[in-house]
């Protein structure tokens, strides 16, 4: 599977980007997936996030098979935003994994959960 990682902090003084990135890379490696994109962003969840949009464009073009994040709040700004994103990814056939919440839409159980969220 062709994977992309996305890590985000909201302020420049937060130091968790390296930890998020390391955990995501280890998860991808443990799954035997290939890391194609490694995106990091410093931006508030409520403001435009160009790296996230870049990643979604890659998903729409099917350049990747799965997006991996450390935690859901690093990806989405609200429940509605998360559900809209999950729906779009499901429609394009791109999986989504949030390590902290053990949410994995690449598995049968995860796909069923994605269907429920839809």
């Amino acid at each position: 599977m062709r994977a992309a990682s996305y890590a985000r902090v909201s302020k420049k003084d937060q130091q968790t980007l390296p930890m998020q990135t390391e955990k995501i890379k280890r998860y991808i490696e443990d799954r035997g997936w290939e890391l194609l994109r490694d995106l990091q962003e410093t931006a508030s969840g409520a403001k435009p996030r160009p790296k996230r949009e870049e990643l979604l464009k890659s998903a729409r073009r099917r350049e990747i098979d799965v997006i991996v994040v450390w935690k859901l709040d690093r990806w989405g700004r609200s429940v509605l935003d998360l559900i809209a994103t999950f729906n779009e990814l499901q429609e394009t056939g791109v999986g989504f994994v949030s390590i902290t919440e053990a949410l994995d839409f690449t598995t049968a159980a995860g796909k069923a959960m994605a269907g429920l969220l839809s």
Side-chain angles (χ1 to χ4, degrees):
M1 296 250 291
R2 301 167 300 166
S5 73
Y6 179 80
R8 181 185 66 82
V9 293
S10 23
K11 297 180 182 176
K12 290 187 188 287
D13 63 342
Q14 291 179 321
Q15 300 300 314
T16 63
L17 268 179
M19 180 275 301
Q20 290 180 49
T21 302
E22 180 184 327
K23 301 275 186 186
I24 294 168
K25 285 181 179 178
R26 187 175 315 132
Y27 182 91
I28 290 169
E29 184 179 303
D30 289 348
R31 295 288 300 262
W33 297 343
E34 177 185 9
L35 179 60
L36 293 185
R37 313 271 329 257
D38 180 20
L39 299 173
Q40 300 170 11
E41 196 152 51
T42 301
S44 166
K47 295 184 179 177
R49 292 177 282 158
K51 299 280 188 180
R52 180 181 185 255
E53 279 308 309
E54 181 183 327
L55 194 51
L56 285 170
K57 286 178 184 175
S58 289
R60 290 178 195 119
R61 292 189 301 259
R62 292 290 294 136
E63 297 170 349
I64 56 173
D65 300 311
V66 62
I67 295 171
V68 183
V69 301
W70 169 244
K71 197 171 182 185
L72 281 176
D73 69 358
R74 303 295 83 203
W75 177 256
R77 30 184 115 181
S78 67
V79 172
L80 291 176
D81 178 53
L82 287 171
I83 291 172
T85 304
F86 295 157
N87 282 336
E88 181 178 359
L89 292 174
Q90 185 176 19
E91 288 172 9
T92 60
V94 173
F96 183 88
V97 173
S98 175
I99 297 170
T100 303
E101 288 86 9
L103 188 63
D104 184 348
F105 293 166
T106 66
T107 66
K111 288 176 184 172
M113 176 63 77
L116 290 173
L117 290 172
S118 297

